[in-house]
């Protein structure tokens, strides 16, 4: 049983009366059947349960455990899905009106980040796998060539694995971007399980990526909308990441979602 869920359950079974949000006041009668149990766990930021945007207690402990598990320097829980992590990563790693080198088959949230930051883009076109008709992985030589030719690139953004499960050579790509002192952001939304079994690929953090986003709900047993944002190294500012997470995440994070993580 997770630490946060255990604490929520203990609080639910105590005799506290909730003079706080949410409006259903943790009353089981607010919903029929098993859904009522979730209502009883649904609280807001109260004493003993920390604040996701200023984490210094139980939520900070949960994030530190996740960082150790994945090999990150810092990890943040996301309740607005991987989308908010991708937006925060792009905003933190680039300057307004700057340039982003990105895979052409990135998720639409990457394009939204480009729009919000008013970025110019240079594209990496993944080669096609002819026998299956799907896009392959981004090749290290493509990244090397692009960084030689393109000027003022603020960050490199790729998706690995892709929706079809294609994995790029993150270790070699990270070595290249770091030679140019440029951070590598990896949308690893569909690879939150990577690294936990010898038959799986290694996760991108262990391969040298600077920022990695995981959708826990896609391949692990966590509720929809739950994700993690990981940071490793110093090429992307912790301060800027936290600043943009406060902008793109709700100020009322769900404790039910966080407990499922």
């Amino acid at each position: 049983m997770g630490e946060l869920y255990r604490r929520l359950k203990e609080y639910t079974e105590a005799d506290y009366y909730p003079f706080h949000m949410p409006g259903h006041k943790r009353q089981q009668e607010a919903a029929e059947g098993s859904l009522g149990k979730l209502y009883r766990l649904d609280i807001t930021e109260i004493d003993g349960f920390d604040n996701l945007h200023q984490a210094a207690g139980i939520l900070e402990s949960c994030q530190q455990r996740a960082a150790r598990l994945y090999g990150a320097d810092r990890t943040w829980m996301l309740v607005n899905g991987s989308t908010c992590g991708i937006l925060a990563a792009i905003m933190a790693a680039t300057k307004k009106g700057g340039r982003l080198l990105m895979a052409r088959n990135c998720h639409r949230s990457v394009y939204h980040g480009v729009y919000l930051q008013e970025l110019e883009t240079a594209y990496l076109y993944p080669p096609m796998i002819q026998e299956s008709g799907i896009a392959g992985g981004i090749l290290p030589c493509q990244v090397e060539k692009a960084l030689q030719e393109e000027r003022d690139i603020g960050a490199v953004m790729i998706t690995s694995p892709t929706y079809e499960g294609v994995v790029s050579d993150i270790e070699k790509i990270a070595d290249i971007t770091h030679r140019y002192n440029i951070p590598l952001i990896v949308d690893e939304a569909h690879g939150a399980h990577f690294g936990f079994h010898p038959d799986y690929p290694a996760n991108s953090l262990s391969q040298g990526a600077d920022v990695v986003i995981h959708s826990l709900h896609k391949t692990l047993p966590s509720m929809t909308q739950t994700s993690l944002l990981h940071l490793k190294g110093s090429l992307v500012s912790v301060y800027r990441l936290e600043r943009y997470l406060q902008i793109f995440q709700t100020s009322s994070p769900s404790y039910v979602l966080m407990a499922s993580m």
Side-chain angles (χ1 to χ4, degrees), residues 89-146:
I90 291 172
M91 302 293 277
T94 62
K95 61 183 181 181
K96 194 80 168 180
R99 305 197 73 213
L100 178 70
L101 177 62
M102 59 178 281
R104 192 66 176 88
N105 60 336
C106 279
H107 187 261
R108 63 182 179 181
S109 58
V110 177
Y111 290 87
H112 295 162
V114 167
Y115 175 80
L116 290 171
Q117 192 71 323
E118 299 179 4
L119 299 174
E120 293 183 8
T121 56
Y123 290 119
L124 298 164
Y125 288 86
M128 294 299 295
I129 302 175
Q130 297 302 327
E131 57 267 29
S132 57
I134 64 173
I138 297 298
L139 304 176
C141 61
Q142 291 179 282
V143 178
E144 181 84 68
K145 184 174 185 294

Side-chain angles (χ1 to χ4, degrees), residues 69-184:
L69 180 67
Y70 280 97
D73 293 337
R74 289 284 302 273
T75 293
W76 292 267
M77 292 194 293
L78 308 177
V79 295
N80 282 30
S82 289
T83 290
C84 78
I86 288 171
L87 292 174
I90 291 172
M91 302 293 277
T94 62
K95 61 183 181 181
K96 194 80 168 180
R99 305 197 73 213
L100 178 70
L101 177 62
M102 59 178 281
R104 192 66 176 88
N105 60 336
C106 279
H107 187 261
R108 63 182 179 181
S109 58
V110 177
Y111 290 87
H112 295 162
V114 167
Y115 175 80
L116 290 171
Q117 192 71 323
E118 299 179 4
L119 299 174
E120 293 183 8
T121 56
Y123 290 119
L124 298 164
Y125 288 86
M128 294 299 295
I129 302 175
Q130 297 302 327
E131 57 267 29
S132 57
I134 64 173
I138 297 298
L139 304 176
C141 61
Q142 291 179 282
V143 178
E144 181 84 68
K145 184 174 185 294
L147 292 180
Q148 289 173 350
E149 296 176 351
E150 303 291 342
R151 302 291 182 180
D152 301 321
I153 296 294
V156 176
M157 175 97 208
I158 67 172
T159 301
S160 178
T162 63
Y163 184 80
E164 295 84 7
V166 177
V167 179
S168 297
D169 189 338
I170 300 300
E171 184 173 18
K172 289 184 179 178
I173 293 173
D175 285 343
I176 293 166
T177 64
H178 292 166
R179 289 207 306 271
Y180 290 85
N181 203 35
I182 294 173
L184 173 63

